[in-house]
Amino acid sequence: MANWAKRARKALAGELAPGEEVVAAALLQPDGTMGATIARGTGGAIGAAIHRRTAPADLPTADSGLAATLGATVFYGVLTQHRFLVMDQAAMSGRPKGMRAVLRRADIVGFDVKQESLADRVVITFADGTQRRLEAPGRAAREFADALFPGR
């Protein structure tokens, strides 16, 4: 399994404030991405069935507020002691690159994770009331939620 936090630390070397450290990181992608990818690879009736089963029922558009800062493509969510950093993913290497957005940790009031077979489903709720539904491969989203809201 990929170590997203290690990749983020390497990409952010020299860019964090003195004493600031990466606490957690997760690769996050638009809800339904994993199912659509598998369905395309499988093809035919089986692929169509996989896509119907894994596609989100109601994918909300996050085109306003803080939710809009995440963008519509795959990204790295990086958590430090004080900030939530949104980094782009390099097309060839898949590693984090470039900062897409910088939010305060307090801007995230909810980070709900539901474990599913292909990828964990994630709903991020922001302080302004906007939400964004995403998915994350592996355990990274659960670890991110634990780091963001310890003891929950």
Side-chain angles (χ1 to χ4, degrees):
M1 183 188 316
N3 186 336
W4 309 121
K6 182 178 177 181
R7 289 181 181 187
R9 281 184 198 99
K10 190 173 181 179
L12 289 167
E15 292 191 40
L16 296 176
E20 186 178 26
E21 296 179 11
V22 171
V23 176
L27 182 70
L28 299 163
Q29 54 200 19
D31 197 16
T33 302
M34 189 71 75
T37 301
I38 291 171
R40 276 194 305 274
T42 304
I46 294 172
I50 290 171
H51 185 62
R52 276 194 308 276
R53 176 152 164 52
T54 59
D58 58 337
L59 182 61
T61 340
D63 54 1
S64 66
L66 291 171
T69 62
L70 301 183
T73 59
V74 177
F75 65 92
Y76 280 85
V78 182
L79 187 66
T80 72
Q81 298 98 317
H82 307 290
R83 302 186 294 169
F84 174 62
L85 311 174
V86 180
M87 299 182 72
D88 288 316
Q89 181 187 36
M92 297 298 286
S93 68
R95 300 204 179 280
K97 69 163 194 162
M99 202 70 68
R100 185 184 299 179
V102 178
L103 301 172
R104 295 172 306 127
R105 235 176 118 142
D107 288 334
I108 300 175
V109 296
F111 194 94
D112 300 313
V113 181
K114 180 181 176 193
Q115 188 174 350
E116 303 239 343
S117 57
L118 297 176
D120 287 347
R121 300 271 171 145
V122 177
V123 177
I124 301 176
T125 305
F126 295 93
D128 65 357
T130 58
Q131 290 185 322
R132 183 66 187 275
R133 285 181 46 180
L134 303 158
E135 62 184 30
R139 295 187 320 257
R142 285 171 264 155
E143 293 167 359
F144 194 97
D146 291 343
L148 183 60
F149 300 112
R152 248 195 198 178

